[in-house]
Amino acid sequence: MAITPSNITDTTGTRGNPADMALAKEIFSGLVMEAFDRKNIGLKMVYNQTIENGSSAYFPIIAQLADSSAAAYVVGTDVSTTAIPVKERVITIDQPQYVALSISRLEEKILAFDTRSKLAKQMGEALATKIDKEVFAEILVASQTSGTIGGVAMQPDGSEVNNDAISSGATPEAKGDALFAAIFEANTVFKQKDVPGDPVVVTTPANFNYLVQSGKGVHRDFTSGSNGGVDAGTIVEIAGLKIMWTNHLPVGTAVSVNAVDKKLQALAFTEDCIGVVKLMEIMTDIDPLPTKIREDLLKSFYWIGMGVLNPSMACAISGGAFA
């Protein structure tokens, strides 16, 4: 009995060119997303919402009722209602962002390695880096944003904590100790503002290593054995805040502390400090170029917007003069 082979594509009865196969596109797209997910950390740390259409998403902001709104009730009298302001924050979708490359299938036959998987990795990492930079830049904006909307104090303002010794410390240990103290201060600020959620701290690779070398960060008298150590070169958390590092902090943007520009050293925040609204998730297309001989155009793109949701949930940690 003859065996009927399964076609790679489910749209025609014959095998097409590799770049025309549905499976080829699916595999390439999967490689892009795999590289993106491996590289990107910022998108997973903030609020995400997907919309089907439109150009903006609206988020209602309800003011916090003061305890003074609670009143004693006199039997037989009417109750008095309390007016509570309701405002909104709007996040608008930005222009689509894309990465595009062309590849010759003729040259692919000459190369001794899997060209497309390498290109997929590069495209995924490029998009991941760009979104990371946008996310952390928006968190910094949140830390510098007022909670007053339309002339009404709806939320606490964003915060900044400064310790110049993070920059000027004589040794890595001194710099780590200064950042250690600043993280505790940021945690205090969050508690004083009744910020819900689990705050995290994201800092630079150098500062992360200073924390590991701090006399307190992984000291056996101050931390548990599960908090990292100099042998592993890592530290897990300080003051209940998870510690992470990235090369994508907006260190080139000044932080205003008492009208003096300071250098950004870290960001402390919780998930709802900013929002990411997605009109289109990361997508990938592979199209043959009609005027070329066996050459394909590879495109990966997304369509999103970002904005501040609650500035009280973001705190910029700075130290040293901005130059």
Side-chain angles (χ1 to χ4, degrees), residues 23 87 104 115-117 126 133 217 253 260 278 284:
L23 181 61
K87 302 289 184 181
S104 168
T115 312
R116 298 200 180 213
S117 67
K133 289 180 177 180
T253 303
V260 177
K278 303 175 182 178
T284 299

Side-chain angles (χ1 to χ4, degrees), residues 132-209:
D132 254 7
K133 289 180 177 180
E134 292 174 344
V135 166
F136 294 123
E138 195 64 31
I139 293 172
L140 177 58
V141 170
S143 74
Q144 308 292 289
T145 297
S146 169
T148 298
I149 304 175
V152 180
M154 302 294 295
Q155 303 163 316
D157 297 341
S159 308
E160 61 273 332
V161 169
N162 185 76
N163 189 324
D164 286 339
I166 301 173
S167 178
S168 62
T171 64
E173 181 178 354
K175 293 179 179 181
D177 285 348
L179 181 53
F180 184 93
I183 292 172
F184 262 91
E185 188 175 349
N187 188 37
T188 299
V189 169
F190 284 151
K191 288 180 176 178
Q192 290 173 337
K193 294 182 178 182
D194 289 324
V195 171
D198 299 315
V200 298
V201 171
V202 178
T203 189
T204 65
N207 283 339
F208 186 88
N209 285 336

Side-chain angles (χ1 to χ4, degrees), residues 21 50 155 192 218 235-236 244 247 265 283 294 296 307:
M21 296 176 185
T50 301
Q155 303 163 316
Q192 290 173 337
V218 294
I235 184 168
V236 178
M244 302 182 70
N247 286 310
Q265 300 288 352
M283 302 183 69
R294 298 183 65 80
D296 296 330

